[in-house]
Amino acid sequence: MSGIWLRGNLHMHTRRSDGRLTYEEAVALYEEAGYDFIAVTDHWILSERGVTPGGMLLLPGCEYNVGGHVREGIYHIVGIGMQREPALSQKQESLSAQRILDAIRACGGLAILAHPAWSLNSAEEVSRLTGLAGTEIYNTTSGFPTNARPYSGLFVDQLAARGVLLPCMAADDAHLYQEDALKSYLMVHAREKTHSAVMEALASGDFYATQGPRVELTVEGRVANVECSAASRVVFYSDAIWNAERVTSGEEITHARCRLLPHETFVRAEVTDRQGRTAYTSPVRIA
């Protein structure tokens, strides 16, 4: 397989909005940890494109939000790679999730739905939106010790069951830079380490989300296969409520397979290692 694997984080905050570190401190933290690319996504402040002295790529990014109550819908949308400032303002009376998506795309960016479980987004509502490049299946800061809804797998599956298969992403969404940094990230398969190559890979879905394990999901006919780093559990998720081959558990698992039932229309996989760290594939449509 040609190309290279790059590690990156696409959701984090600094003192420019509501993070505890300065922009320079946050960038340095991820660079020192060996990340290949990041996007600083302060609320309503578009970060600049660049390259650090050590060679880490800085993708332009910003987090936009609309809605104040669950009843009306709360949407946090991360824009990545915009070539100019989107025509958006928090004071726009007509602001909506769809308008945010359209504005990000009009500027050459990719729009990612942030922490849908934390926002209590519903699959019914999100299925009406167009233009999403992905959704966070795991968001570090939305979990313990400050929150309790970091995982959005149920939302992803309910959406996929409706025929909307969104690429799954993981991000720290770091604010405090204590328990919420350097934990969840993307492994992107790009042709080279450049801004354009990373954006191409993100747009094509050539990545997986992880907290450490490696994972690759392939589907041949109606058999799903996973190749992974040493794991204690592999789970295949789909729109079937039961499949006898869904879970493989044990020690040092590096391969698992699942024969798919006739009515299953999609499949995705999660791999968990002995340390409790998980990798997540995106859902794959079954022909």
Side-chain angles (χ1 to χ4, degrees):
M1 182 183 295
S2 61
I4 56 176
W5 286 98
L6 302 173
R7 179 184 183 185
N9 181 52
L10 296 179
H11 192 178
M12 55 193 291
H13 300 272
T14 73
R15 289 184 188 173
R16 291 178 177 179
S17 60
D18 57 348
R20 287 193 177 178
L21 295 187
T22 66
Y23 176 91
E24 293 76 15
E25 289 169 338
V27 169
L29 180 68
Y30 279 81
E31 183 171 32
E32 291 169 3
Y35 280 63
D36 298 295
F37 67 91
I38 64 168
V40 176
T41 55
D42 282 303
H43 298 278
W44 295 93
I45 302 171
L46 180 61
S47 64
E48 56 269 27
R49 168 178 167 157
V51 182
T52 67
M56 184 173 68
L57 304 178
L58 302 174
L59 303 180
C62 183
E63 183 174 6
Y64 306 95
N65 62 281
V66 64
H69 302 283
V70 172
R71 291 186 300 277
E72 65 187 36
I74 297 173
Y75 295 95
H76 286 231
I77 299 169
V78 172
I80 301 295
M82 287 82 77
Q83 299 168 9
R84 63 183 184 278
E85 189 83 41
L88 293 168
S89 169
Q90 285 180 286
K91 298 180 181 179
Q92 288 175 317
E93 292 185 4
S94 59
L95 189 64
S96 66
Q98 189 61 62
R99 182 159 185 170
I100 293 172
L101 295 175
D102 293 342
I104 290 172
R105 296 179 69 200
C107 295
L110 299 175
I112 303 164
L113 183 64
H115 45 63
W118 183 86
S119 300
L120 289 180
N121 294 137
S122 76
E124 179 181 4
E125 294 168 345
V126 174
S127 66
R128 301 190 190 107
L129 301 176
T130 59
L132 279 170
T135 182
E136 291 176 353
I137 193 170
Y138 198 92
N139 178 285
T140 305
T141 204
S142 295
F144 183 83
T146 57
N147 282 290
R149 290 194 182 103
Y151 175 67
S152 297
L154 177 60
F155 167 83
V156 168
D157 293 342
Q158 290 175 331
L159 199 61
R162 289 174 170 268
V164 182
L165 279 64
L166 289 181
C168 291
M169 300 180 169
D172 283 331
D173 191 6
H175 287 72
L176 305 179
Y177 292 91
Q178 295 174 352
E179 296 294 330
D180 62 353
L182 309 175
K183 296 289 181 65
S184 306
Y185 53 93
L186 292 181
M187 290 300 298
V188 173
H189 185 230
R191 53 182 170 80
E192 60 186 7
K193 187 179 175 181
T194 62
H195 291 87
S196 59
V198 170
M199 288 297 295
E200 288 171 10
L202 291 172
S204 65
D206 200 355
F207 56 81
Y208 63 89
T210 187
Q211 296 156 351
R214 299 189 311 274
V215 61
E216 180 183 8
L217 170 68
T218 57
V219 179
E220 299 177 3
R222 299 199 67 83
V223 178
N225 293 281
V226 158
E227 300 290 339
C228 58
S229 54
S232 59
R233 182 173 70 244
V234 177
V235 183
F236 294 90
Y237 289 87
S238 72
D239 52 347
I241 61 173
W242 181 85
N243 183 318
E245 298 182 355
R246 170 163 290 159
V247 178
T248 299
S249 59
E251 297 183 5
E252 306 298 313
I253 301 167
T254 58
H255 173 79
R257 69 192 294 269
C258 179
R259 288 173 293 183
L260 301 167
L261 303 175
H263 63 281
E264 290 178 282
T265 65
F266 76 90
V267 64
R268 65 179 182 86
E270 295 185 7
V271 170
T272 303
D273 65 16
R274 288 188 298 176
Q275 288 74 45
R277 303 175 303 175
T278 302
Y280 315 84
T281 76
S282 298
V284 174
R285 194 179 307 279
I286 302 170

